Amino acid sequence: MNEISRLIQSLSSGDFPALARAITLVENELPGADTLLQNLTIHEVPLIGITGPPGVGKSSLVNALLRRLLEQNSRIGVVSVDPTSPFNFGSLLGDRIRMSEHFLHPNVFIRSMASRGSLGGLSDKILEVTDVMKAARFDYLLVETVGVGQSEVEIAGLADTTLVVFVPDTGDEIQAMKAGLMEIADIFIVNKSDLENADRTVALLKAMVAPKNAASRDGWQIPVVKTVSANASGIEELLAQIKQHATSGHRNQRRVLFIAEKIRRLIIKDKMKNIDLRRLRSELEAAMATDDFNLYRFATHYFHQ
Ligand SMILES: Nc1nc2c(ncn2[C@@H]2O[C@H](COP(=O)(O)OP(=O)(O)O)[C@@H](O)[C@H]2O)c(=O)[nH]1
Ligand SMILES: [Mg+2]
């Protein structure tokens, strides 16, 4: 038996060190990564995406959800995608501290990822990483990501249930975001509802989702849940809504688009694998020095390689 099948076997039995090694393998495209991904048994594990502006308490909510789920003896995988550069360890450290209570728990696996290399804001490898985790016997996966631009759509394609988090008094922010975050939420959360104006923000969000709920075709009614992550207020209701959504038969319309985009990128990567960009540039330089240079003709020399 070779190294990769041994690794698959270990992570499939729920071994965390093996899981960590497998994630590092796929994140860095090390030898064996493709073989590993192609031979994994990827189970159906509810993937909960948690998104929203920085500082609204996403990590704190993950922590509160973890505490509750662990009491119910669930095995949880957490991925925190940090939007800042991989060199900014500050916020990664912050997330770790907020989740540190659970860091050594035998039923929790926590991984931070930088969002480097992705057009969208989510990490390029988020699908690979969560798929590897889905092979490792978790009951739930929680993925925290800052909602910025394209990543909203990506998280909605990736997650079975998308939680969008706000805090009180962000009326302007909520009005401004309109389409993006508004469209992807399966559940809205007003966190820090210990602060003033929580009810006003809840009312505003409820008014905004009302038309969508009235037109709902699959019967899912987007709830607005008020939470205080520090004292776990509202967490029970939030968890009940998450579970209800997971079992509601609601189908994620964005999943096919998300997977299709992923496959498109894999095809491009495969097509590019034999192309030496340095050589291309030097050949291009020579070609551009000639009189009859035509870029479209030049490009065809690299087709079907
Ligand atoms: N007052 C209050 N503060 C909170 C609550 N939840 C989180 N915070 C604080 O808000 C800050 C940002 O929290 P964090 O979880 O890192 O937010 P994230 O950037 O969305 O992940 C931290 O200082 C938390 O202690 C809450 O329910 N009420
Ligand atoms: Mg965070």
Side-chain angles (χ1 to χ4, degrees), residues 253-305:
Q253 309 290 340
R254 290 176 182 79
R255 185 138 186 97
V256 171
L257 288 179
F258 176 70
I259 304 287
E261 170 60 18
K262 181 72 192 184
I263 291 171
R264 190 181 72 84
R265 289 191 205 180
L266 291 177
I267 294 168
I268 291 171
K269 208 174 108 202
D270 179 71
K271 297 241 181 244
M272 291 298 291
K273 74 173 185 278
N274 296 321
I275 296 193
D276 177 348
L277 285 174
R278 280 237 298 271
R279 208 187 95 204
L280 184 147
R281 273 194 293 273
S282 70
E283 287 176 359
L284 176 62
E285 219 168 329
M288 284 172 79
T290 64
D291 288 338
D292 63 344
F293 172 72
N294 175 301
L295 91 87
Y296 306 99
R297 233 168 25 233
F298 176 85
T300 62
H301 299 153
Y302 292 89
F303 291 175
H304 311 297
Q305 278 201 14

Side-chain angles (χ1 to χ4, degrees), residues 4 7 12 14 38 44 49 55 103 143 156 175 194 241 244 282 304:
I4 296 297
L7 188 57
S12 304
Q38 287 166 20
E44 297 237 341
F103 239 85
V143 177
Q175 300 286 8
D194 50 319
Q241 292 285 5
Q244 205 174 329
S282 70
H304 311 297

Side-chain angles (χ1 to χ4, degrees), residues 55-299:
V56 292
K58 297 178 296 296
S59 299
S60 311
L61 279 168
V62 167
N63 195 44
L65 285 170
L66 271 177
R67 192 178 305 139
R68 213 45 215 104
L69 286 165
L70 289 172
E71 282 165 16
Q72 300 169 2
N73 276 323
S74 298
R75 250 173 78 89
I76 317 293
V78 179
V79 184
S80 172
V81 183
D82 193 275
T84 52
S85 92
F87 305 107
N88 180 357
F89 291 111
S91 54
L92 289 185
L93 204 61
D95 282 342
R96 276 172 194 268
I97 288 163
R98 273 184 277 290
M99 296 179 197
S100 61
E101 168 186 349
H102 304 299
F103 239 85
L104 296 172
H105 197 290
N107 284 347
V108 183
F109 179 90
I110 301 178
R111 185 86 176 200
S112 291
M113 295 174 79
S115 57
R116 66 189 150 173
S118 165
L119 294 171
L122 263 190
S123 167
D124 249 357
K125 298 289 182 204
I126 188 70
L127 189 61
E128 286 89 337
V129 168
T130 51
D131 277 344
V132 171
M133 290 172 81
K134 283 181 181 178
R137 307 206 163 275
F138 288 110
D139 297 304
Y140 290 93
L141 295 183
L142 306 176
V143 177
E144 174 194 343
T145 162
V146 172
V148 272
Q150 193 64 27
S151 73
E152 298 155 4
V153 178
E154 286 189 2
I155 192 72
L158 179 78
D160 299 300
T161 303
T162 301
L163 316 182
V164 175
V165 187
F166 288 109
V167 292
D169 229 355
T170 43
D172 290 345
E173 213 162 89
I174 293 170
Q175 300 286 8
M177 64 151 181
K178 292 206 181 82
L181 284 173
M182 194 68 203
E183 240 177 64
I184 61 165
D186 296 308
I187 296 174
F188 275 115
I189 298 171
V190 178
N191 188 45
K192 305 197 188 182
S193 59
D194 50 319
L195 305 181
E196 261 178 67
N197 293 326
D199 289 328
R200 215 183 65 190
T201 308
V202 170
L204 177 63
L205 280 167
K206 279 189 173 161
M208 286 177 83
V209 294
K212 204 175 167 192
N213 280 345
S216 164
R217 267 186 276 163
D218 56 10
W220 178 251
Q221 297 289 297
I222 301 160
V224 182
V225 183
K226 230 164 59 164
T227 58
V228 183
S229 48
N231 69 12
S233 149
I235 297 301
E236 203 58 49
E237 189 201 339
L238 176 60
L239 205 52
Q241 292 285 5
I242 290 171
K243 288 183 178 176
Q244 205 174 329
H245 184 262
T247 54
S248 69
H250 175 95
R251 278 179 51 92
N252 184 346
Q253 309 290 340
R254 290 176 182 79
R255 185 138 186 97
V256 171
L257 288 179
F258 176 70
I259 304 287
E261 170 60 18
K262 181 72 192 184
I263 291 171
R264 190 181 72 84
R265 289 191 205 180
L266 291 177
I267 294 168
I268 291 171
K269 208 174 108 202
D270 179 71
K271 297 241 181 244
M272 291 298 291
K273 74 173 185 278
N274 296 321
I275 296 193
D276 177 348
L277 285 174
R278 280 237 298 271
R279 208 187 95 204
L280 184 147
R281 273 194 293 273
S282 70
E283 287 176 359
L284 176 62
E285 219 168 329
M288 284 172 79
T290 64
D291 288 338
D292 63 344
F293 172 72
N294 175 301
L295 91 87
Y296 306 99
R297 233 168 25 233
F298 176 85

